Amino acid sequence: MVTDKPGYEHLIQFLTEHLSLFEQGGNNGSGKTIGELLEESIAEQIITLCTQHTELEMNHRSMIIREVDGIMYDFQEVLSSVLEKKATAQQAELINEISLLIKNLFDNAIADLLD
């Protein structure tokens, strides 16, 4: 649906280009780790996606969940050495931006799917 598309490859490249940001330590005030923020942010966007697209059938939603599992696996692999570190405000911002880009990839895929 999205993980086999060029947009996803660009997203992974975008994350890779910003890996140096994750070398910093710190705290975003909430005390959450990079891994927690990543999971929560992506989950929030996927919930929003599914509520916005009420026309999705159960098999489409299942396909989205499988893809999100794959995306989380990829991101956890890339960020494996820093997942347990407390996130800085800049890291939280980048994670939020990435999760919005993931939602955008799915929005586009759903538009193509339903055409």
Side-chain angles (χ1 to χ4, degrees), residues 25-32 86-89 91:
N27 194 332
N28 64 4
S30 72
K32 293 185 179 179
K86 298 291 184 189
T88 66
Q91 292 164 345

Side-chain angles (χ1 to χ4, degrees), residues 1 12-13 16 21 28 62 79 86-87 109:
M1 182 171 224
I12 295 293
Q13 183 179 357
T16 304
L21 178 65
N28 64 4
S62 296
L79 297 171
K86 298 291 184 189

Side-chain angles (χ1 to χ4, degrees), residues 4-63:
D4 60 344
K5 302 289 189 253
Y8 184 68
E9 292 175 26
H10 294 300
L11 183 61
I12 295 293
Q13 183 179 357
F14 177 75
L15 175 62
T16 304
E17 290 170 358
H18 290 86
L19 277 179
S20 62
L21 178 65
F22 290 98
E23 293 171 0
Q24 304 170 13
N27 194 332
N28 64 4
S30 72
K32 293 185 179 179
T33 66
I34 291 169
E36 290 168 336
L37 283 175
L38 185 65
E39 286 179 18
E40 288 175 9
S41 186
I42 291 174
E44 184 179 300
Q45 291 305 317
I46 297 307
I47 290 168
T48 300
L49 176 87
C50 288
T51 56
Q52 288 175 338
H53 294 281
T54 57
E55 69 278 12
L56 287 173
E57 297 175 11
M58 185 55 85
N59 63 329
H60 297 137
R61 293 175 193 269
S62 296
M63 193 175 2

Side-chain angles (χ1 to χ4, degrees), residues 47-94:
I47 290 168
T48 300
L49 176 87
C50 288
T51 56
Q52 288 175 338
H53 294 281
T54 57
E55 69 278 12
L56 287 173
E57 297 175 11
M58 185 55 85
N59 63 329
H60 297 137
R61 293 175 193 269
S62 296
M63 193 175 2
I64 290 168
I65 297 303
R66 282 192 302 275
E67 291 257 334
V68 170
D69 284 345
I71 291 168
M72 283 303 301
Y73 178 81
D74 290 346
F75 279 56
Q76 288 171 340
E77 284 291 307
V78 172
L79 297 171
S80 62
S81 65
V82 297
L83 287 174
E84 298 303 317
K85 290 184 176 181
K86 298 291 184 189
T88 66
Q90 291 110 336
Q91 292 164 345
E93 222 174 279
L94 182 63

